[in-house]
Amino acid sequence: METQAWQVLDRAHYLHPFTDHAGLRQTGSRVATRGEGVYVWDTDGKRIIDGLSGLGCVNIGYGRKELVNAAAEQMLELSFCQSFFKTTHRAAVTLAEKLASMLPEGLNHVFFQSSGSEANETAMRTIRRYWDLAGQPQRRVVIARELAYHGSTHMAASLSGIPPMYTAGGDIPLPGIVHIKTPYQYRHGPEMNADEFGIVAAGWLEEKILEVGADKVAAFFAEPAQSAGGAICPPMTYWPEIQRICKKYDVLLVADEVVCGFGRTGQWFGADHYGITPDLMQLGKGITSGYLPLSACAMSDRVADMLIEKGGEWAHGFTYSGHPACCAVALENIRILEEERIVETAAAELVPYFRSKLETFVDHPLIGDVRSVGLMGGLEIVQNKKTRESFPYEAKIGEACSTEALKRGLAFRANGDTMSLMPPLVITRPEIDTMFGIAREALDATAVKYDVM
């Protein structure tokens, strides 16, 4: 009765993000109770491998007491400190300094928020303010990509290239944002080799800049690899060509690293993996491994110096910008990542194994494409492998596969019909074996259900 009692309260009062609440009332929520390592338990006592790292955030796994202690110690010393009115505190300053030492060259200034959506809002306000101060106020258009996910606020949802989000209300997308195709080779260039496709896909940015007018384009805004879009991992030629195009037309390059940052790609940041230096870079999720809400918008000297030297008062901020406890947890999280060499170990030992296990699904009757970068992988379900035809949207086959996996003890995310895995960076090889074993069972059961085997 404990699960049912919580479900009754949940239905009565708690509205969930990205949820069909009428459907949820029929099924009831899974009620999580505790987590340890890569596992989460629910009120029925079921142990589930978190193949999603929460939502791409619990990089060092659940149950690390050091992060709890860091928060408690900071709260006892200074539970809150606003950053308005010429006030600062040591945790925020120390974290900003630490991040500046880790980020690509020139990103020396950091503004803190509580979520990735807020970090992307900050980036957009910064872009527009920068060009106003630079004497080019006509540069208002920001180019983003289809299937992008940048958050749920008005501006962040407008940047996102997922049309169903636009129906949530608010006349989204807002003006001044345009989208180009994403480097999704399975759909947009299967006949090309990867290096060739990367150059072609980057060229779509140049085409859009010329279409809009180079003197009107403010920035290109994109994730290094697209998580919610379905684990879309661009070829290695893509991002260097994007950077070249941005420099050619003096367009600011903005990297949304909310998911990719802090080890997801096998390096500390997606910018490191793809060899680029953005003008702005947003961080979140893995900055605290999800233990407390914190995000950051890092700015290059070029951008920050303009705001500082010419901008006067910057009328932007949040009550919880640089919250002491959140900053303290981030510092402890980074210390653990560094001292235990979690990112480096994952890159050397887990990423190749993860990729090899993922590639065993190439011959599965449901899987049309297998793709990954670091510990982010996608298995795209198709109705016809030869023609790459997808199942009808109404079939909801991805959701069906996710349900089958959860029954067997794996959180296996459906991004449309792409089944995505982003396990914590501390997962072990035996746990990877178990994770992929359940994933195969779930896909087999789904294939039987949809008469594909």
Side-chain angles (χ1 to χ4, degrees), residues 230-286:
I232 298 172
C233 312
M236 295 303 292
T237 54
Y238 177 78
W239 273 108
E241 180 67 1
I242 288 288
Q243 178 130 45
R244 184 193 70 78
I245 292 167
C246 286
K247 287 183 177 179
K248 178 179 178 180
Y249 296 101
D250 198 22
V251 169
L252 295 177
L253 179 56
V254 186
D256 178 353
E257 294 253 11
V258 171
V259 170
C260 290
F262 300 94
R264 181 55 53 190
T265 64
Q267 296 199 42
W268 275 90
F269 303 102
D272 299 331
H273 178 79
Y274 289 109
I276 59 169
T277 303
D279 295 291
L280 292 102
M281 187 165 155
Q282 292 77 258
L283 310 170
K285 294 183 183 284

Side-chain angles (χ1 to χ4, degrees), residues 334-408:
I334 294 169
R335 182 195 68 77
I336 290 171
L337 285 166
E338 288 183 330
E339 291 189 5
E340 297 183 11
R341 295 186 58 79
I342 289 173
V343 176
E344 294 79 6
T345 300
E349 300 178 11
L350 298 178
V351 169
Y353 192 66
F354 177 82
R355 184 184 302 115
S356 69
K357 299 292 286 188
L358 200 69
E359 289 172 351
T360 65
F361 288 80
V362 168
D363 295 329
H364 193 281
L366 275 180
I367 299 304
D369 191 36
V370 173
R371 48 188 181 260
S372 69
V373 60
L375 288 181
M376 177 196 297
L379 301 166
E380 183 162 348
I381 295 174
V382 293
Q383 184 167 298
N384 187 311
K385 291 167 72 82
K386 289 183 179 179
T387 65
R388 298 186 295 279
E389 180 186 0
S390 298
F391 281 84
Y393 174 79
E394 298 76 19
K396 302 285 187 183
I397 192 170
E399 291 183 20
C401 184
S402 182
T403 299
E404 291 291 341
L406 197 58
K407 289 179 188 175
R408 293 164 171 80

